[in-house]
Amino acid sequence: MSFMRLKNVDISYKLENTSVRAVRSFSCDIERGDIVGIVGESGSGKSTLALGIMRLLPPNASLSAETMLFDGRNILSFNQDELRKIRWKEISVVFQKAMNALSPVHKIFTQMYDVIIAHSPDTSKGKAYKMLTELFSKVNLPSKVLNMYPHELSGGMMQRVMITMSLIHNPKMIIFDEVTTALDVITQGQLLDEINRLVREFGLTAIIITHDIGVVNEVCNKVAVMYAGELLEFGKVKDVIFSPMHPYTKALVKSHPDLRIGNELIKGIPGSLPDLTDPPGGCIFYPRCDVRLDLCKSVKPEVSVLGDRIVKCHRIQR
Amino acid sequence: MSGFVRFITRRVISIIPMVLLIVLINFFIIHLAPGNPAQIISGLEQPSQEVIKALEHRYGLDKPLVVQLGIYFKNALKGDLGYSYIYSEPVITLIKERIGATLLLTLTSAVLAFISGTLLAAWSSRYKKGILDSILSILSYVLYAMPSFWLALILILIFSSNLRWFPTAGMFNVRLSLHGFSRFGDILYHLFLPVLTLTLIQIPVYFRVTRSSIFQVSRDEYILTMTAAGLERKKIFNKYVLKNAILPSVTIFGLTLGYAITGSALVEIVFAWPGMGRLMLDAVFKRDYNLLLGIYFVLAVCICIAILLTDVFYAILDPRIRYK
C-alpha cells in the first residue's frame, strides 16, 4: 500500500458566476520516504493541490476525489477535529511567502510555543525553549531568533524558522510549497542542502512544489509534471528529467539553462495557459504542443502507465 | 528602551512649537471673524462711537493686531491667558472649573466606545453575513448618521421624561450636598445618559473598522499557517486575529480622542453638563477673544497629548513600529 494515494482529485474554485477547475483528475502514488517534486508553471494548480491535500482550501473551493489515502486512512472523510489532529502532527507545510507566514505582532517563540501546545498541551515553556533551540541549530539559526519578531529576520531566516516549525511535531510528511522561490541563489542553495539533509535525517516523505527543475534535480527522487491543473508526466527524476516523454516535459526541460553546455539557446514555450473556466476538450497541452496530432484536439489522452512511470499523451499510446 | 525614552522626550518638546503655531493661527482667525467685542460688552444695541472707542482702549483692542499678539504671547508664557471680557474672570480659572467635567465625559465615552465597538465587531464577525451581523451593520450606519444632540434629546425623552430613571440635566444634584462615596454615585448617575449618547455615536466607527479589519486579517497568510498547524479556531481568533485586527482602531482612537473633546459640546449643552462645550459656544457668540483663545489653547494641548499617547500605545502593540 502506498503511503499516500491520490486518485482523480478534482479541485475547483467558485467565482462570481463561473468556476475555475484548478486541478483535474490528478492521480499519483507516493511511497514512504519519497521526495516528490511537483513542477509546473504558475497557475498549473501545484499550490492548490498542496492545500487540497492538507484540506486547507478556502471556502469558495470544492474538493472531490475518488481516493485520498494518507498512511492507510481516508483523509477525505475526516471532519474538522480529525483534521486538526493530523495537521502538523503527521503532515505539515512550509508555505511560499515566509515573510508573511507568522503573525507580525507576536514573538517567534510565542507562536512556536502555541504550535507545540496545540498537540502536546503539557509541554512547559522551558522544555519548549530547549527543544526549539536544538531544532534551530540544525538549520543554523541562533537561539536568540526565538525572542525576535518576524520583521526582524531576513527572508532566508524566516524560511528556516518555518522549516523548523514544520518539524516540531516530527511529522511523517512535509509539503514544501515553493520555499526557495523568493530567495537569492546562494540562500536557495544553502536551504536546499538543509532540506535535503533534514528530510533524510528525520526519515520524512516530502512533496516539494517548485517551478525550478534544478531544485527537483537536486533534492527529489520522483517528479510530477503539472500543466493547467493536470498531471502530464510522473516518474523517477532520472527518467523524467533526463529522458522526458511528454512534449511539455521536453519543452520544460529545454527552457531550463544547463550549466554544462556553454552557448545553447534557452527555448521558452510559446503561448500561455488555457482558460480554466472552460478547459479544452482534447489534450490540455494541444494549443502549445509542437508535435500535436489531429486526434489531440478532440480526444483526451488516456493515462499510460509504463512501469513506475505515468505519461498522458496520445503519442505514447500508439 | 532608551531610544523609546528619547522618542517621547523629543515628541513632548515638539508639542511646544506646534501649540504656539496653533495659537498663532487661532489668534488671526478669531480676529478675522466679523463682530466686535466692544459692542457686546457695552450691552447696547447701537453704542455710540465714543463708547466703543473707550471700551476698545480699555481692553487694548485699539492696538495693532501684531502688538496685541505680542502682548498675548508675553502673558501666555507667564501662564496668564488673560481675562474674559464677559465673565470678568481669569480665563485660566474659567477653564479649570470646567475641564474636569469635560474630560470625565469624553474620556469615559471614548474608552467605552472603543471597547464595546471592538467587542461587537469581534462578536458579529463570527456570524459573517448572518442576521446578527446584518442587523448590527445597519444599526451602525443609523447611529453613524445620527446627530448627537438629537440622540441626546431622544434619550432624555425616553429615560428621563417617560421612565424617570435618570436625571435630565446637570452633573450632580445641587439640592443635596453629598460627600464621598454618595457624591461619586450621584455623579455616575448624572453621567449615565450623556456618556451613553456619546458612546453610541462613536461605536459605529470602531465597529466598522474592526469588523473589516478582522475579515482582512482572517485571510492573511499567518492565519493559514496557524490553521495548518492544527491550532484551535477559537485560539487563532482570540490571540492572532484580534491583536492584528485591533491596530487600525487604535489609530482611530487617538484621532477621535482629540475630536471628542470638542465634539461633545452639543451633548454638553443638551444635558447642561458644566463642561467646556457651553463655555466655548458662549465665547464664540459673544466674541470673547481671550476666553476663546484660551479654550483653543487647552484643546490643542489635549489633542497633542492624545496623539502622543496613541503613538506610545501603538508602539507597545505593534513591534514593527520602533521609535528612535
Side-chain angles (χ1 to χ4, degrees):
Chain A
M1 194 53 164
S2 315
F3 183 62
M4 173 168 259
R5 163 162 289 175
L6 303 174
K7 195 150 187 223
N8 287 331
V9 177
D10 275 277
I11 301 169
S12 57
Y13 291 106
K14 233 183 39 218
L15 299 178
E16 201 77 3
N17 39 28
T18 54
S19 63
V20 177
R21 303 184 53 203
V23 175
R24 293 179 312 286
S25 22
F26 184 97
S27 309
C28 83
D29 283 359
I30 296 169
E31 305 299 330
R32 197 181 285 272
D34 269 351
I35 303 170
V36 180
I38 301 183
V39 276
E41 48 199 289
S42 306
S44 58
K46 311 175 300 260
S47 294
T48 298
L49 184 71
L51 289 178
I53 293 171
M54 289 290 285
R55 300 281 313 277
L56 279 172
L57 290 163
N60 69 330
S62 62
L63 164 82
S64 69
E66 209 178 299
T67 321
M68 236 173 123
L69 285 179
F70 172 74
D71 202 14
R73 284 158 299 168
N74 180 10
I75 42 175
L76 202 59
S77 64
F78 272 19
N79 63 28
Q80 281 304 316
D81 206 45
E82 288 169 309
L83 282 173
R84 205 179 63 70
K85 279 178 190 142
I86 69 155
R87 282 179 187 158
W88 232 255
K89 196 117 184 78
E90 300 190 34
I91 314 182
S92 55
V93 210
V94 181
F95 287 109
Q96 185 172 1
K97 296 179 202 137
M99 280 325 276
N100 304 323
L102 285 179
S103 163
V105 299
H106 295 87
K107 283 189 177 169
I108 307 270
F109 179 74
T110 312
Q111 309 193 45
M112 299 277 239
Y113 183 64
D114 276 341
V115 171
I116 292 175
I117 57 172
H119 297 287
S120 4
D122 301 327
T123 317
S124 71
K125 280 201 173 166
K127 208 176 144 200
Y129 198 92
K130 239 184 95 187
M131 172 194 150
L132 289 172
T133 309
E134 215 167 283
L135 273 178
F136 268 11
S137 69
K138 285 191 200 299
V139 287
N140 300 319
L141 277 177
S143 62
K144 68 165 195 234
V145 166
L146 283 169
N147 292 316
M148 289 164 89
Y149 289 98
H151 72 276
E152 295 173 293
L153 305 180
S154 68
M157 285 166 102
M158 260 313 277
Q159 204 54 278
R160 286 189 172 91
V161 169
M162 295 318 290
I163 290 172
T164 314
M165 193 159 138
S166 74
L167 291 166
I168 282 177
H169 290 292
N170 228 326
K172 295 174 183 159
M173 180 178 199
I174 299 185
I175 301 173
F176 295 92
D177 187 358
E178 306 216 15
V179 284
T180 57
T181 303
L183 307 173
D184 64 89
V185 229
I186 305 282
T187 318
Q188 253 186 46
Q190 291 171 347
L191 211 61
L192 283 177
D193 285 346
E194 277 157 23
I195 291 175
N196 226 335
R197 195 162 40 76
L198 288 171
V199 165
R200 277 156 238 280
E201 187 182 329
F202 282 77
L204 294 163
T205 307
I207 293 179
I208 295 181
I209 294 170
T210 177
H211 49 239
D212 186 348
I213 287 191
V215 171
V216 173
N217 200 9
E218 205 163 318
V219 196
C220 306
N221 67 328
K222 284 184 186 167
V223 60
V225 180
M226 276 186 90
Y227 176 77
E230 285 182 26
L231 179 71
L232 297 185
E233 189 162 1
F234 178 76
K236 293 213 170 83
V237 168
K238 61 177 190 321
D239 297 335
V240 176
I241 303 293
F242 294 104
S243 49
M245 289 170 101
H246 196 284
Y248 177 66
T249 318
K250 284 180 190 162
L252 202 63
V253 172
K254 256 194 214 135
S255 63
H256 186 78
D258 192 333
L259 284 178
R260 283 164 295 189
I261 299 163
N263 282 327
E264 202 192 356
L265 204 61
I266 299 166
K267 260 181 76 186
I269 310 170
S272 55
L273 284 171
D275 178 11
L276 290 185
T277 55
D278 182 24
C283 174
I284 192 77
F285 191 55
Y286 173 80
R288 296 170 81 180
C289 186
D290 52 3
V291 290
R292 61 192 174 192
L293 307 164
D294 287 343
L295 167 78
C296 301
K297 188 175 184 179
S298 48
V299 183
K300 236 184 187 3
E302 289 292 309
V303 170
S304 327
V305 182
L306 312 152
D308 53 2
R309 198 163 175 185
I310 295 172
V311 190
K312 206 173 179 183
C313 180
H314 283 301
R315 282 200 175 264
I316 303 306
Q317 280 160 333
R318 11 186 71 220
Chain B
M1 227 36 192
S2 75
F4 195 55
V5 173
R6 223 178 311 134
F7 161 76
I8 292 178
T9 323
R10 228 179 37 203
R11 280 296 303 270
V12 170
I13 292 169
S14 78
I15 286 178
I16 296 167
M18 190 133 60
V19 170
L20 286 181
L21 188 68
I22 292 169
V23 171
L24 189 73
I25 294 169
N26 281 336
F27 187 86
F28 285 109
I29 287 179
I30 289 170
H31 283 269
L32 273 177
N36 185 349
Q39 188 196 342
I40 292 161
I41 300 164
S42 73
L44 299 168
E45 193 78 25
Q46 221 105 54
S48 66
Q49 281 302 312
E50 287 78 22
V51 174
I52 298 252
K53 277 255 165 65
L55 281 170
E56 278 186 348
H57 184 69
R58 188 174 153 199
Y59 289 100
L61 291 164
D62 54 349
K63 292 192 178 91
L65 260 191
V66 183
V67 177
Q68 288 186 43
L69 179 70
I71 295 170
Y72 187 82
F73 266 131
K74 208 178 90 192
N75 289 334
L77 287 177
K78 286 187 276 184
D80 175 11
L81 294 179
Y83 266 78
S84 155
Y85 306 141
I86 311 296
Y87 295 89
S88 296
E89 262 187 86
V91 167
I92 294 265
T93 316
L94 289 168
I95 293 175
K96 256 193 209 152
E97 278 167 9
R98 290 167 176 82
I99 194 162
T102 291
L103 287 180
L104 176 67
L105 189 62
T106 52
L107 289 181
T108 314
S109 59
V111 171
L112 282 180
F114 177 77
I115 294 171
S116 44
T118 309
L119 287 181
L120 275 176
W123 184 46
S124 146
S125 64
R126 260 188 257 165
Y127 311 95
K128 190 182 179 182
K129 301 270 146 64
I131 293 173
L132 180 93
D133 188 34
S134 308
I135 291 175
L136 281 176
S137 290
I138 294 168
L139 208 63
S140 78
Y141 272 124
V142 173
L143 279 175
Y144 190 62
M146 198 174 281
S148 58
F149 62 90
W150 188 80
L151 180 63
L153 289 172
I154 297 299
L155 289 177
I156 288 177
L157 203 65
I158 297 172
F159 291 104
S160 304
S161 305
N162 289 338
L163 295 169
R164 298 192 176 276
W165 287 354
F166 293 101
T168 52
M171 190 168 155
F172 37 77
N173 195 332
V174 281
R175 266 169 276 172
L176 307 169
S177 49
L178 297 167
H179 296 286
F181 195 73
S182 47
R183 183 180 161 84
F184 175 71
D186 189 43
I187 289 178
L188 274 189
Y189 179 54
H190 282 78
L191 189 65
F192 186 83
L193 280 187
V195 161
L196 180 65
T197 313
L198 285 173
T199 308
L200 284 177
I201 292 289
Q202 292 177 77
I203 280 179
V205 183
Y206 296 111
F207 175 75
R208 300 212 69 84
V209 168
T210 313
R211 183 176 168 273
S212 57
S213 175
I214 285 174
F215 290 152
Q216 203 190 328
V217 169
S218 304
R219 284 196 296 266
D220 277 349
E221 302 274 330
Y222 48 87
I223 301 302
L224 186 67
T225 309
M226 291 301 170
T227 316
L231 264 71
E232 293 196 43
R233 269 182 63 171
K234 221 164 107 193
K235 173 146 194 188
I236 296 176
F237 187 84
N238 290 340
K239 185 161 180 179
Y240 292 99
V241 177
L242 269 192
K243 194 174 174 190
N244 280 289
I246 213 171
L247 295 173
S249 307
V250 174
T251 312
I252 294 181
F253 183 76
L255 292 176
T256 50
L257 205 59
Y259 165 78
I261 294 166
T262 44
S264 63
L266 287 174
V267 175
E268 282 187 4
I269 289 166
V270 173
F271 285 101
W273 190 259
M276 301 234 295
R278 176 105 232 176
L279 193 67
M280 182 166 72
L281 277 188
D282 274 352
V284 171
F285 287 130
K286 295 190 176 148
R287 303 287 183 274
D288 198 342
Y289 290 168
N290 279 345
L291 182 54
L292 205 50
L293 272 174
I295 293 172
Y296 286 164
F297 173 76
V298 172
L299 288 180
V301 174
C302 283
I303 291 171
C304 286
I305 292 174
I307 291 173
L308 174 66
L309 287 179
T310 315
D311 282 349
V312 172
F313 190 47
Y314 210 98
I316 293 168
L317 275 180
D318 191 342
R320 282 168 296 181
I321 295 168
R322 279 287 172 259
Y323 302 114
K324 282 170 201 133

